[in-house]
Amino acid sequence: MALPVAFFGLFFAYPVAAIVARGLKVDGTWEFGRIVDVLGRSDIRHVLWFTTWQAVASTVLTLAVALPGAYVLARLDFPGKQVLRAVVTVPFVLPTVVVGSAFLALVGRGGLLDDLWGVRLDTTVWAILLAHVFFNYAVVVRTVGGLWAQLDPRQEEAARMLGASRLRAWRTVTLPALGPAVAAAALMVFLFTFTSFGVVQILGGPTFSTLEVEIYRQTSEIFDLSTAAVLTIVQFAAVGAILVVHAWTVRRRETALRLVDAGTTARRPRGAGQWMLLAGVLASIALLLVLPLAVLVQRSLDAPDFAYYRALTSEEGNVFLVPPIEAIGNSLEYAVAATAIAVLIGGLAAAALTRRDAGRLVRGFDALLMLPLGVSAVTVGFGFLITLDEPPLDLRASWILVPLAQALVGVPFVVRTMLPVLRAVDHRLREAAAVLGASPWRVWREVDLPMVRRALLVAAGFAFAVSLGEFGATVFIARPDRPTLPVAVARLLGRAGELNYGQAMALSTILMLVCAVALLVLERLRTDRTGEF
């Protein structure tokens, strides 16, 4: 635990605490009354209200749209099912900047709806809600569908034989069993939408602002660190409460059910109702998930002779010190380094958490590992700039700063992927190897590693994908001569002109393809044990 604790203490707790202290200290004195002053402002109350309201609405809408998809992928067997599973997961690994760009190409000025019917939804709450459904669809399908596929269908069939209607059997037998998984999925969707940044930044315009967007605005545009610090504390408290409730629901899911092999519960669709449900799910996936990505690609090819892609290689008239195409290489280099860090730190943390003699303090660290997913990445990025600028840790001009920030987001995915597999390894195998004279390192190499190798590769793939798309912290610390793909896309979208818009669409398409390839590799590596998050 020494290295994970040191890593999170130095690169997460310290920068966040420094930002909060700088915002709430005046001449060395804590001004806690500033919290009351900030929360009493009408503009801040509006931000808090909108952040909560849109998160609730996004969660309800996502559940309504994705639960039928969870049932179809869990209980129905049809050609192309594995491809469909990969398709619905692509949006989750996409950077939020790409999601915003895709919906901007669909519902924004000059988008598909604008061209066909003169309808624009950008800078409206509907664009934000639909983009959140797009992004979080896979969370519900994977979390709820993974459990649904393992529920014994004979329980519901027994209720039907005793006279219950199909609806009543589902309501009284299946729904209570799915309750913890639905609650866990809803909490995760609420967490991701409550802390939404890239989607709201691109689609919300000046009209809508979540806590995360407002922290960015107060920090980088208004330079009001005290307001940003108060909002960071509010978000931290909210995320902490969400994670506590999430941990409780996960424990219920793990202990309250008797499950069967997921491969034995799926059946071919029977009857007009199931075929209509399958058709409806396929139609919703095509409209909500596939269409925005297809429009994104189409917009990147709008100019003749691949003009937008060719413009990426030019230094003339762009917003960077280098051609935008160099952002691709930068992002790949940063993501590889971040993946290595995340796998090392996350692997050590997962190994410590699975020890049978782990104390309560070590087990409590498990929940803390999730905090980087919900605490403001903007605060972390700005905190890096003001804390890691003096010897012996003067990293502000170093390239390693970006991978360190990206690794903070990747570590929770590594831990969540590796923990179930490490816990499944029979401890008696390790004890037998030790009794036969094997050193701890040899026990790990010859007992644990062969069993967790596949999970380790899956964890590395997820860490690579989320590192590639990290935006909130990177936007502060990426140097102008070494921009990442998400930073390049956001800055191109922030400038007027058709060429800048086209280049943003082209870079978003490239980023989408890289993430999709990483996902396809994950799907090939996926097993029933390591494939659900």
Side-chain angles (χ1 to χ4, degrees):
M1 287 296 297
L3 191 57
V5 169
F7 178 81
F8 273 85
L10 187 59
F11 297 117
F12 178 67
Y14 177 41
V16 172
I19 283 289
V20 172
R22 181 165 295 199
L24 295 182
K25 270 188 175 183
V26 179
D27 297 327
T29 303
W30 288 94
E31 297 287 345
F32 291 108
R34 181 63 178 158
I35 298 176
V36 178
D37 294 339
V38 170
L39 296 181
R41 287 164 43 184
S42 60
D43 59 328
I44 297 301
R45 289 201 304 270
H46 175 74
V47 169
L48 292 171
W49 165 248
F50 176 74
T51 301
T52 305
W53 176 86
Q54 64 82 27
V56 171
S58 296
T59 302
V60 172
L61 192 58
T62 302
L63 289 174
V65 173
L67 282 175
Y71 171 81
V72 165
L73 288 171
R75 288 297 174 88
L76 300 184
D77 188 21
F78 52 91
K81 180 177 175 178
Q82 294 304 318
V83 174
L84 187 66
R85 182 188 292 273
V87 168
V88 301
T89 311
V90 166
F92 182 75
V93 300
L94 288 180
T96 55
V97 171
V98 173
V99 176
S101 301
F103 274 83
L104 196 64
L106 179 63
V107 303
R109 179 175 57 84
L112 180 64
L113 296 185
D114 192 14
D115 288 348
L116 293 178
W117 299 296
V119 176
R120 287 183 57 187
L121 295 178
D122 60 325
T123 69
T124 71
V125 71
W126 280 108
I128 295 171
L129 296 180
L130 291 174
H132 284 161
V133 173
F134 171 91
F135 184 76
N136 292 291
Y137 189 97
V139 176
V140 177
V141 169
R142 292 281 186 153
T143 305
V144 180
L147 178 63
W148 211 333
Q150 293 179 279
L151 292 181
D152 192 345
R154 292 173 297 182
Q155 297 177 2
E156 190 172 321
E157 292 169 0
R160 294 288 309 279
M161 292 181 64
L162 292 174
S165 65
R166 184 182 296 275
L167 178 61
R168 186 179 180 186
W170 181 83
R171 181 170 53 84
T172 58
V173 177
T174 304
L175 184 58
L178 289 176
V182 174
L187 284 167
M188 289 305 295
V189 173
F190 185 86
L191 173 64
F192 290 139
T193 53
F194 187 84
T195 58
S196 182
F197 177 55
V199 167
V200 180
Q201 178 80 349
I202 292 174
L203 295 176
T207 308
F208 300 107
S209 180
T210 57
L211 272 173
E212 186 82 354
V213 173
E214 190 63 21
I215 291 170
Y216 174 77
R217 193 173 73 89
Q218 295 289 339
T219 303
S220 64
E221 298 177 10
I222 303 177
F223 305 108
D224 186 351
L225 288 185
S226 61
T227 299
V230 172
L231 295 181
T232 297
I233 293 173
V234 171
Q235 184 165 306
F236 187 85
V239 168
I242 294 169
L243 291 178
V244 168
V245 177
H246 180 265
W248 177 73
T249 59
V250 168
R251 281 198 299 271
R252 283 187 62 201
R253 174 184 171 186
E254 289 177 346
T255 59
L257 300 173
R258 181 173 296 176
L259 306 178
V260 298
D261 184 2
T264 64
T265 61
R267 298 287 187 271
R268 297 281 294 179
R270 291 176 292 183
Q274 289 191 345
W275 281 108
M276 289 180 62
L277 178 62
L278 176 59
V281 167
L282 293 176
S284 66
I285 290 173
L287 288 175
L288 283 174
L289 306 187
V290 177
L291 182 60
L293 299 181
V295 173
L296 175 66
V297 176
Q298 185 268 327
R299 287 291 184 247
S300 74
L301 298 172
D302 245 358
D305 301 323
F306 300 97
Y308 294 147
Y309 288 91
R310 288 192 289 107
L312 296 177
T313 63
S314 173
E315 295 185 29
E316 297 181 7
N318 69 63
V319 297
F320 309 106
L321 302 178
V322 295
I325 196 71
E326 292 195 13
I328 301 173
N330 297 336
S331 288
L332 293 174
E333 291 175 10
Y334 288 144
V336 169
T339 300
I341 297 171
V343 168
L344 174 63
I345 300 298
L348 289 173
L353 291 169
T354 54
R355 286 182 60 90
R356 300 178 67 203
D357 56 349
R360 183 173 300 176
L361 184 63
V362 174
R363 291 193 296 270
F365 188 64
D366 183 19
L368 297 179
L369 291 171
M370 294 289 289
L371 284 179
L373 292 180
V375 173
S376 171
V378 171
T379 301
V380 174
F382 194 64
F384 272 29
L385 293 182
I386 68 170
T387 57
L388 304 179
D389 61 342
E390 296 179 359
L393 276 176
D394 186 2
L395 302 177
R396 193 158 56 175
S398 173
W399 68 273
I400 195 64
L401 206 59
V402 174
L404 286 172
Q406 294 174 343
L408 283 171
V409 184
V411 167
F413 287 91
V414 173
V415 174
R416 295 269 74 78
T417 303
M418 294 189 63
L419 261 181
V421 182
L422 283 171
R423 284 172 174 162
V425 177
D426 192 340
H427 66 90
R428 292 173 297 183
L429 296 176
R430 302 187 184 105
E431 294 171 352
V435 168
L436 293 174
S439 64
W441 167 245
R442 189 175 180 186
V443 170
W444 161 255
R445 190 177 72 246
E446 298 189 9
V447 176
D448 291 76
L449 185 57
M451 296 185 180
V452 303
R453 183 184 293 113
R454 193 177 296 256
L456 188 63
L457 293 173
V458 171
F462 270 121
F464 179 82
V466 298
S467 299
L468 198 65
E470 204 286 322
F471 176 59
T474 307
V475 70
F476 276 96
I477 57 182
R479 301 203 310 251
D481 60 336
R482 294 206 67 184
T484 64
L485 278 169
V487 171
V489 169
R491 290 183 179 167
L492 285 168
L493 286 174
R495 287 173 62 93
E498 183 180 344
L499 182 61
N500 288 320
Y501 177 83
Q503 290 183 88
M505 296 297 109
L507 279 180
S508 296
T509 300
I510 292 171
L511 187 49
M512 177 190 71
L513 292 175
V514 173
C515 290
V517 169
L519 178 65
L520 289 175
V521 173
L522 290 182
E523 282 296 314
R524 289 188 63 86
L525 294 173
R526 189 181 64 84
T527 65
D528 288 336
R529 178 176 291 176
T530 63
E532 307 300 336
F533 55 77

